[in-house]
Amino acid sequence: MADDGDGLRWTRVSRVGPWAATFLYGSAAVLCLCGPVVLGSAVLTGADLMVMGIVFTVVLLPAGLALWGHTAAEREYNRRLDAVGSPATAEITDLTRWEDADDAGVAVGLWVSGPGFPAFETAWRRSPHDALRVGLRLTAVVDPSGGFFRVEVR
């Protein structure tokens, strides 16, 4: 998230296409159903899986619901950006490599500007991409009323 100085918080939205949404919704459904299926099979067959079924239900059901909700929200934000978004330009101002325990990538600093909203600076972490370089201008879409933006990296 970024702040434009006027108190508006900007949130980057990832594009979630139909194939990605199908995969994410399917994964969420599997997470939600794992625990109850194991629990049900333990009750019906008398197998010693009751504890595992309870643990799976308590842990994976909320994770699946959270993934489902996040996917639905991202799709709604994308629909809103497609419907009322303003075209903008996002210029890369900084590229910094970062590395955590098992993950690595680049932090991309952006200056987003366009008609109908105040320009703002933001950053996001992403996987490395050969085309990214300081000074590169990317196509963006901004919803000034909702504080959402999406950057297209090809």
Side-chain angles (χ1 to χ4, degrees):
M1 282 202 259
D3 190 339
D4 69 356
D6 294 332
L8 181 61
R9 305 285 296 172
W10 292 94
T11 304
R12 189 184 60 81
V13 176
S14 299
R15 179 168 293 285
V16 179
W19 292 107
T22 301
F23 173 76
L24 291 171
Y25 282 133
S27 299
V30 168
L31 287 173
C32 287
L33 294 174
C34 264
V37 166
V38 171
L39 196 56
S41 66
V43 169
L44 294 175
T45 63
D48 293 332
L49 298 174
M50 186 69 75
V51 172
M52 187 166 50
I54 292 170
V55 170
F56 278 10
T57 301
V58 168
V59 173
L60 297 180
L61 182 65
L65 292 174
L67 178 60
W68 190 283
H70 177 73
T71 302
E74 287 285 313
R75 288 181 51 91
E76 179 59 33
Y77 298 152
N78 274 294
R79 281 192 287 270
R80 175 129 176 103
L81 282 168
D82 291 340
V84 300
S86 300
T89 302
E91 183 177 351
I92 297 177
T93 58
D94 185 39
L95 282 175
T96 307
R97 294 210 171 270
W98 60 271
E99 192 170 327
D100 288 339
D102 294 328
D103 203 11
V106 292
V108 181
L110 295 173
W111 178 256
V112 182
S113 59
F117 64 93
F120 62 94
E121 189 170 12
T122 187
W124 95 90
R125 289 182 171 189
R126 59 157 292 134
S127 58
H129 193 285
D130 291 337
L132 297 178
R133 65 185 185 289
V134 174
L136 178 67
R137 291 176 178 257
L138 302 169
T139 304
V141 179
V142 175
D143 175 12
S145 63
F148 299 106
F149 71 98
R150 181 180 62 221
V151 177
E152 304 291 335
V153 178
R154 301 197 194 267

